[in-house]
Amino acid sequence: MPREWYERLRATGAPGLVAFGAIVLVAASVLPGPLRLLVLPALLLAPGYAFMRLLGREVDWPSIATAVAVSIMIVVLLSLALYVSGIRLDRVSLGPALGSVTALLLAGSYSRELFADRRGYAQRSDRYDEGIVDERERTMSR
Amino acid sequence: MVEAELGRHPGDARTVPARVAGKGWLRGLRGDGAGSPPSASGARTELGAAALIAAGAALVIWAYSMAPTSAIKSYDPIFWSGMVLVYLTVAWRALSGRHAVLWLAFLGLFAVLPKFWMSPNGPIYFDETAHFALLRETISTGHLFQNTPLLPIGKFYPGMESVAAAIHWLTGLSSWQSALALIAVVHCLLPVQVYYIARALPVGERWAVVAALVYAANPSFIYEDVQFAYESVAILIMFTILRIYVETLAAERSGRPSWRESLSTSVLIATMCFACVVTHHLTSLTGVGLLLVSALTIGPMSGLLDRKGGWRRIFVRYSPPLMLAGCFALWVIFVAPGTWPYLFPHVSQPFNQILKLVGLGHGGSKPLRALFSHSVAPGYERVAAIAAPTLIALAVLFAGIRWLRKHRSQTLFLWSFTLASVYLITLPLTLIGEGAAGAHRTWAATFLGVGLLPVAVVTLFTLEERKPWLRRSAATLGVGGLVVLLVGNVAAGTPVDYRFPGPYKFGSDTRSVTAETRRYDDWVREHLGPDAGVVTDRNTALSLTATASSITPLQVPGLPVAEIWYNRRPPTPSLMFSLQYQGDDYLAVDTRDSQYHPTEAPLFVPGEPYEVPRRNITRLAHWPWLRLLYSSQHYRLYKIDFDRYYLWYPFHSRGE
């Protein structure tokens, strides 16, 4: 079913592209000439999307403009951090740093979802258990 | 009509508003109950629109090809024909087609074309030349916080250069291509963010498109904010902060987000605020004002200033402006203390001039600038330049009065009126010599309010419920108003020589570069290498910095280089010692400095003498401590022998 296919792709596509973007950023310094143009969309989208995903924000088409601005923010902050650390900025330092940060943010977003799912399951379990206890109490009280 | 909007926070991953299901946002207009039936938007319509845009672009490029050798009256109408054709085509497709956001993004990208055609191969404006010098230094050294004498304050705001350098390093594009790519991406997203800001206020999709189109007609959109300067990038960051902020307030209207959601949004806003501060000072200050106005005017409001909304609501409403103000204060205190002495004169001097105007000040020359003085702009541009703010003022006046009398409960328009009023208040500052630059810098933000004036007028006067002929007339007037805004704002905001190439003009940032200048710059680059310290006037400094990568100190307190040009006596030992200490070993002179007087920016410093005495140029050839390295029809380049100067000066200090 096309709709189902589209929805499945939407659910997994964006994080997959972010992961691909992180890899492209890490490998930017060794990519051959024409392929390095792929780095531009990766640079301007992947870090921003990963950060927004970590914060639990909707990651969809309307978010592209925000994701680009957030990516710009991440590049600025990362460059500042490298400068303060005394690391010289160039493609050898910045590419892997950006790719690593993007991957970390993406991993963090999955961890957040896993934690939220487990907490939600625990809460539902507690409510279910309370419901069983209530049912038992009601049964026993008859 | 203003429509009810989002059911939930658009950033809420758990729910998708029914109106926004799937591709609704991307399509923009259709199926939202806006009132008009959708028009045919098949492939043929889109192709027709693309053909119109290609024709518009061709007209613009044709105008630029004619500009260097033709009078403005011959190419200016062609230019505006092309621009208006593109703007109206985008308006047509965005309002009646399926991909409003994409068309708005395209408009932002198209607006880069005129400036790009002015200077496809390198910087040409003063600010972007300075920033390009900073970018070159960042790339060559691998460190932020580089310095250029053309813009000393730029050292402390390295955000844009860090991103452009990252693009250069990671993509392999040249430094200028990286700069262009960054500005193109940033600029195409500006009208998109305006659209989403309007949508979250809330405003119907059609009127959000109109808001973005009106914003794209602001004085800075086509030439100022497309140059490689820190403001161009900072504006996108600020608009993104504002968008996240108004979307957060929209979520408050439709539900009660949790503390966790509010805190995560605050983290995002805080990091964006810091990035904005690191990128540009004035945009950060403007952003504080913008967020404050938004906090005080955008609903929902429970009690005065929303004090009954609960702690979480108060936190959501007031933390963003406080965060931005706090980031800016901390940055200025700990990293960029020179910001305040840099910005303060741009506030104090216009204020003093206003006092002089009303008779409370004293001293100084007449402060008023004449409208279009020394301008060759055609008559219709000047008429539009006066008509544009008049239209805005009338819209604010009539809609404001209507709102006060009948619709005060609709606080949505209060935000628009406030920003539009600030825009109108800053307009007279352009008549004051020292106020023009500061006023210009605020328009990129305050024009957001002007963008909502059309929906305010239509809603408050219930024009959509009137007879069809009245609605059509209003729509036609609206289209005419957009054209007047576009032409008038650009004419008022950007001088002609910043918009079009043309014949040589002494003192012009863009038209003082000739073939002789390029040969001179090439010689300096080849024989002196990059980072050669060259003392010279402002215009020569610009070309040497852009092309030869020279370091060209301008006059600052403690470095009165202008005395070499203006003083009857030779330069003082204190000046020469300062030059020697900085490594400024060369002196470059343009003999035209003594023949012409600059009409735009001074050669060295405001308030300098009217003309350079010719003998001050010819005496240089007789000073033994200056060795002539290069001579052309108008340019002279000397090597300074400081040791010989110190021996020579005691016997020649009284002048010749």
Side-chain angles (χ1 to χ4, degrees):
Chain A
M1 307 293 283
R3 187 177 176 80
E4 189 181 318
W5 165 83
Y6 172 79
E7 290 299 328
R8 269 212 307 275
L9 183 63
R10 215 164 73 94
T12 57
L17 286 173
V18 172
F20 177 67
I23 295 170
V24 168
L25 287 171
V26 170
S29 56
V30 298
L31 286 176
L35 280 180
R36 289 179 77 182
L37 287 177
L38 276 179
V39 178
L40 186 60
L43 175 68
L44 293 177
L45 287 172
Y49 263 124
F51 190 54
M52 289 167 66
R53 204 166 186 280
L54 175 66
L55 295 177
R57 296 185 68 83
E58 183 75 18
V59 184
D60 53 7
W61 284 111
S63 310
I64 283 183
T66 300
V68 170
V70 175
S71 294
I72 288 174
M73 175 269 292
I74 290 175
V75 172
V76 171
L77 297 190
L78 187 62
S79 300
L80 267 178
L82 290 175
Y83 169 77
V84 167
S85 307
I87 299 172
R88 182 192 159 94
L89 295 171
D90 55 23
R91 63 180 188 174
V92 174
S93 62
L94 202 54
L98 262 175
S100 305
V101 164
T102 304
L104 275 172
L105 293 173
L106 189 61
S109 69
Y110 278 110
S111 302
R112 182 191 61 77
E113 285 178 354
L114 189 63
F115 180 73
D117 285 345
R118 284 188 176 176
R119 191 179 61 201
Y121 176 75
Q123 288 174 348
R124 283 194 299 274
S125 295
D126 290 343
R127 283 198 296 272
Y128 179 71
D129 290 341
E130 286 171 7
I132 290 178
V133 169
D134 289 343
E135 182 65 23
R136 282 180 186 166
E137 287 178 351
R138 277 198 293 275
T139 305
M140 289 170 65
S141 66
R142 289 192 196 132
Chain B
M1 295 291 286
V2 174
E3 302 173 357
E5 270 298 304
L6 304 168
R8 293 299 298 270
H9 186 350
D12 189 338
R14 291 171 296 178
T15 64
V16 176
R19 180 194 52 78
V20 184
K23 306 168 194 169
W25 283 88
L26 190 59
R27 286 183 191 151
L29 301 172
R30 298 303 103 207
D32 66 336
S36 319
S39 64
S41 62
R44 260 190 288 182
T45 312
E46 304 288 8
L47 279 175
L52 286 174
I53 287 173
L59 287 171
V60 169
I61 294 171
W62 182 25
Y64 273 93
S65 67
M66 292 172 60
T69 53
S70 306
I72 189 171
K73 289 179 183 176
S74 59
Y75 60 80
D76 193 67
I78 298 173
F79 169 77
W80 281 120
S81 301
M83 293 297 292
V84 169
L85 180 60
V86 172
Y87 264 69
L88 293 185
T89 304
V90 169
W92 163 48
R93 296 315 303 146
L95 286 170
S96 61
R98 293 166 60 86
H99 306 292
V101 171
L102 288 179
W103 281 107
L104 291 174
F106 173 76
L107 183 63
L109 191 61
F110 175 81
V112 180
L113 178 66
K115 165 61 181 61
F116 172 77
W117 222 259
M118 274 283 285
S119 61
N121 300 316
I124 195 170
Y125 294 167
F126 186 91
D127 282 356
E128 71 173 356
T129 301
H131 283 287
F132 192 62
L134 290 172
L135 174 63
R136 270 203 311 257
E137 291 299 310
T138 301
I139 290 172
S140 65
T141 62
H143 294 293
L144 302 179
F145 300 98
Q146 296 300 311
N147 185 42
T148 176
L150 294 183
L151 190 69
I153 196 64
K155 172 181 178 178
F156 302 105
Y157 295 91
M160 181 186 68
E161 284 80 16
S162 64
V163 181
I167 294 174
H168 164 76
W169 283 317
L170 299 182
T171 65
L173 295 172
S174 71
S175 47
W176 180 239
Q177 290 168 345
S178 304
L180 283 180
L182 175 61
I183 295 302
V185 167
V186 161
H187 202 259
C188 89
L189 295 178
L190 284 184
V192 172
Q193 293 295 58
V194 173
Y195 169 84
Y196 284 116
I197 289 169
R199 294 286 277 125
L201 276 176
V203 168
E205 294 185 40
R206 182 199 311 161
W207 295 113
V209 170
V210 171
L213 290 169
V214 171
Y215 182 82
N218 86 65
S220 307
F221 192 75
I222 296 182
Y223 287 99
E224 304 292 331
D225 294 337
V226 296
Q227 61 176 314
F228 182 63
Y230 43 12
E231 177 179 336
S232 305
V233 175
I235 288 174
L236 176 66
I237 299 176
M238 183 182 72
F239 279 11
T240 303
I241 295 171
L242 183 64
R243 173 184 170 181
I244 297 168
Y245 182 55
V246 294
E247 286 178 348
T248 305
L249 292 178
E252 297 291 326
R253 283 194 294 272
S254 55
R256 289 194 67 83
S258 64
W259 263 108
R260 184 179 298 114
E261 289 167 340
S262 301
L263 284 173
S264 72
T265 303
S266 296
V267 166
L268 182 58
I269 291 178
T271 49
M272 295 297 289
C273 286
F274 186 66
C276 185
V277 165
V278 173
T279 305
H280 188 218
H281 39 74
L282 203 53
T283 304
S284 304
L285 277 178
T286 311
V288 172
L290 196 55
L291 290 174
L292 205 54
V293 168
S294 306
L296 297 175
T297 56
I298 296 179
M301 288 283 189
S302 297
L304 181 64
L305 303 179
D306 207 14
R307 61 198 168 117
K308 294 180 182 175
W311 285 111
R312 191 193 55 79
R313 175 87 67 80
I314 291 175
F315 172 77
V316 163
R317 180 174 293 279
Y318 294 108
S319 62
L322 289 175
M323 282 192 286
L324 186 53
C327 286
F328 181 73
L330 289 173
W331 190 258
V332 170
I333 291 170
F334 292 108
V335 179
T339 304
W340 185 243
Y342 172 78
L343 289 179
F344 184 71
H346 295 287
V347 175
S348 64
Q349 287 171 7
F351 182 71
N352 289 336
Q353 288 179 334
I354 291 172
L355 290 181
K356 284 181 206 171
L357 276 175
V358 299
L360 297 177
H362 55 84
S365 57
K366 186 177 178 184
L368 281 180
R369 296 166 67 220
L371 273 177
F372 294 106
S373 59
H374 310 289
S375 172
V376 295
Y380 56 83
E381 282 194 1
R382 301 183 191 213
V383 169
I386 296 173
T390 307
L391 278 177
I392 296 170
L394 288 174
V396 171
L397 181 68
F398 286 112
I401 292 174
R402 184 83 171 184
W403 179 79
L404 283 171
R405 289 176 65 184
K406 294 192 176 183
H407 300 277
R408 227 180 296 183
S409 58
Q410 289 183 340
T411 57
L412 161 69
F413 302 125
L414 184 57
W415 185 82
S416 168
F417 294 148
T418 306
L419 292 179
S421 301
V422 172
Y423 169 75
L424 291 171
I425 289 169
T426 58
L427 279 177
L429 293 178
T430 57
L431 297 177
I432 298 172
E434 298 300 328
H440 276 246
R441 296 293 183 269
T442 63
W443 292 344
T446 54
F447 218 81
L448 279 173
V450 176
L452 285 183
L453 287 180
V455 65
V457 169
V458 168
T459 303
L460 295 173
F461 289 96
T462 58
L463 290 180
E464 284 195 323
E465 297 168 11
R466 307 287 178 156
K467 294 179 181 174
W469 69 267
L470 189 61
R471 293 205 304 267
R472 281 195 294 271
S473 303
T476 306
L477 280 175
V479 170
L482 178 66
V483 174
V484 168
L485 278 182
L486 177 64
V487 177
N489 283 337
V490 170
T494 311
V496 171
D497 60 345
Y498 257 60
R499 291 157 46 196
F500 300 107
Y504 174 80
K505 180 181 175 186
F506 179 77
S508 168
D509 291 347
T510 57
R511 295 190 185 180
S512 58
V513 176
T514 61
E516 180 191 0
T517 311
R518 292 197 182 90
R519 287 194 298 272
Y520 176 50
D521 295 339
D522 291 341
W523 189 96
V524 170
R525 186 178 60 231
E526 184 182 337
H527 291 84
L528 302 188
D531 298 337
V534 183
V535 182
T536 187
D537 61 78
R538 182 181 185 275
N539 299 317
T540 312
L542 208 56
S543 67
L544 285 176
T545 302
T547 311
S549 305
S550 302
I551 306 293
T552 52
L554 299 184
Q555 170 135 336
V556 293
L559 195 70
V561 297
E563 67 180 43
I564 300 175
W565 276 257
Y566 290 109
N567 281 14
R568 185 177 62 83
R569 295 183 178 183
T572 58
S574 60
L575 170 63
M576 298 306 289
F577 179 76
S578 298
L579 294 176
Q580 184 182 18
Y581 181 79
Q582 289 180 171
D584 300 319
D585 298 328
Y586 303 95
L587 175 67
V589 172
D590 184 344
T591 59
R592 288 168 293 197
D593 290 349
S594 63
Q595 299 168 13
Y596 305 103
H597 174 71
T599 56
E600 295 177 8
L603 281 180
F604 295 96
V605 63
E608 64 191 10
Y610 185 80
E611 61 180 16
V612 176
R614 185 172 176 76
R615 61 180 295 277
N616 285 9
I617 302 294
T618 56
R619 67 183 178 180
L620 299 177
H622 304 291
W623 284 347
W625 49 275
L626 290 178
R627 183 163 61 93
L628 184 67
L629 296 181
Y630 178 91
S631 177
S632 65
Q633 182 181 6
H634 298 109
Y635 293 106
R636 308 283 184 272
L637 180 70
Y638 300 93
K639 175 80 167 68
I640 302 174
D641 187 339
F642 291 98
D643 294 333
R644 201 161 175 184
Y645 163 82
Y646 295 127
L647 293 173
W648 172 88
Y649 180 78
F651 306 101
H652 300 87
S653 58
R654 289 177 178 272
E656 296 160 6

